[in-house]
């Protein structure tokens, strides 16, 4: 899997926070972590969730991401000094420890393009969950075909960068019909200087059926399937596939009725 420069190049990583503010998903996961002693944030990116959680002081937080440029931003943010940051690939991470909660949000699961890579990530989750620990991750619903909206005409937007000022941003997109992999181009033009930054990012759109198969193979079980962070059901027209669960065999009778 080739390193995506959108995250690995510091010149591009600097736009991540301008594009991604605190979301319903992060708040949902924050509530899940309320009773946890330890949390692993896989694909933590610039560390907003991990650092915010650590500042609350209720649990020990570990953030892992393969991109050094993202982790540099994470370490520098408020609360960053309270998190254990690890530069690591979610497919291969092995810490010989277990966590109460593991989160993989922001559609990070979609950067794993093949079934083998997706299976490896879920094995990482399974190997780091405590008995009765919980996991949650999200992926866009392929049935909605959201990528069709990622055209230059439909994606035009203006961002505000704390140092560079106004940024004109847009996307372009292509899709490989055989693999289902979508490649989207991100463009950022600084209005003041005219400088243009760009990157191409391939992502997968696994179906719910595949995710269910992969969970079973990894020794995990879903306790709920949501179609959005507003807790709508996971239906064919829902924008998201959000799966929460635990280790197989870890369910108590009360937990088995969830979702």
């Amino acid at each position: 899997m080739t390193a995506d420069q959108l995250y690995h190049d510091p010149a591009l990583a600097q736009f991540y926070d301008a594009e991604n503010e605190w979301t319903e998903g992060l708040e949902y996961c924050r509530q899940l972590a309320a009773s946890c002693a330890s949390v692993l944030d896989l694909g933590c990116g610039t560390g907003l969730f991990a650092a915010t959680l650590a500042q609350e002081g209720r649990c020990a937080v570990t953030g892992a991401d393969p991109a050094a440029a993202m982790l540099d931003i994470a370490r520098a943010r408020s609360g960053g000094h309270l998190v254990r940051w690890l530069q690591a690939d979610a497919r291969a991470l092995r810490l010989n420890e277990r966590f109460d909660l593991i989160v993989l949000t922001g559609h990070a699961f979609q950067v794993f393009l093949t079934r083998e890579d997706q299976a490896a990530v879920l094995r990482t989750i399974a190997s780091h969950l405590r008995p009765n620990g919980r996991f949650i991750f999200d992926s866009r619903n392929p049935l909605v075909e959201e990528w069709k909206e990622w055209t230059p005409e439909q994606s035009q937007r203006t961002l505000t960068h704390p140092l560079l000022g106004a940024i004109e941003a847009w996307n372009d997109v292509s899709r490989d019909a055989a693999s289902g992999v979508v490649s989207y181009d991100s463009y950022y033009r600084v209005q003041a200087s005219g400088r243009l930054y760009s990157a191409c990012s391939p992502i997968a759109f696994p179906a719910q059926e595949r995710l269910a198969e992969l969970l079973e193979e990894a020794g995990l079980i879903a306790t709920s399937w949501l179609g959005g962070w507003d807790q709508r059901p996971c239906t064919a027209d829902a924008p998201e596939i959000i799966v929460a669960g635990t280790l197989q065999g870890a369910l108590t009778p009360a937990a088995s009725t969830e979702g």
Side-chain angles (χ1 to χ4, degrees):
M1 191 166 70
T2 303
D4 188 337
Q5 294 308 299
L6 191 63
Y7 310 116
H8 288 264
D9 183 346
L12 288 157
Q14 67 175 324
F15 298 113
Y16 185 87
D17 284 344
E19 283 270 47
N20 300 275
E21 298 179 352
W22 189 270
T23 66
E24 287 182 321
L26 297 183
E27 183 58 33
Y28 188 97
C29 293
R30 178 174 167 270
Q31 295 301 319
L32 284 182
S35 60
C36 295
S38 59
V39 176
L40 172 61
D41 185 1
L42 280 177
C44 65
T46 60
L48 178 59
F49 172 68
T52 300
L53 195 62
Q55 280 185 303
E56 295 177 358
R58 293 181 295 187
C59 61
V61 184
T62 299
D65 199 281
M70 301 291 271
L71 291 174
D72 286 344
I73 297 172
R75 293 188 183 96
R77 72 165 61 253
S78 177
H81 66 289
L82 300 173
V83 180
R84 176 177 58 163
W85 303 109
L86 302 173
Q87 186 176 352
D89 189 313
R91 295 169 296 179
L93 178 68
R94 292 295 183 272
L95 296 176
N96 195 31
E97 59 185 285
R98 294 179 179 265
F99 299 83
D100 295 316
L101 176 66
I102 299 176
V103 302
L104 179 67
T105 55
H107 305 123
F109 189 80
Q110 292 183 250
V111 307
F112 303 104
L113 305 182
T114 67
R115 194 183 195 282
E116 292 74 21
D117 285 342
Q118 294 158 7
V121 174
L122 295 183
R123 287 194 298 270
T124 294
I125 291 175
S127 70
H128 289 87
L129 270 184
R130 285 181 176 165
N132 294 314
R134 303 183 68 188
F135 71 86
I136 189 165
F137 68 90
D138 59 352
S139 187
R140 297 176 184 88
N141 184 357
L143 298 177
V144 176
E145 299 183 330
E146 182 183 333
W147 62 83
K148 291 184 175 180
E149 301 175 2
W150 300 347
T151 63
E153 296 76 20
Q154 297 183 77
S155 63
Q156 290 278 349
R157 57 202 181 276
T158 301
L159 311 174
T160 301
H161 188 281
L163 299 177
L164 301 176
I167 307 293
E168 300 171 16
W170 67 95
N171 300 103
D172 205 349
V173 66
S174 62
R175 180 175 181 269
D176 181 74
S179 66
V181 170
V182 170
S183 296
Y184 69 96
D185 299 305
S186 299
Y187 297 94
Y188 302 100
R189 177 180 287 122
V190 181
Q191 287 187 355
S193 66
R195 181 173 178 181
L196 179 66
Y197 302 81
S198 65
C200 181
S201 305
I203 55 174
F205 282 76
Q208 183 178 358
E209 294 76 13
R210 171 183 280 191
L211 294 176
E213 293 173 358
L214 290 169
L215 289 172
E216 183 176 4
E217 292 171 10
L220 299 168
I221 186 169
T223 55
S224 68
W225 295 90
L226 299 176
W229 291 109
D230 56 4
Q231 302 187 54
R232 72 182 71 183
C234 189
T235 58
D237 60 351
E240 305 281 344
I241 301 174
I242 303 170
V243 55
T246 188
L247 291 167
Q248 290 177 14
L251 288 177
T252 63
S256 65
T257 63
E258 179 186 346

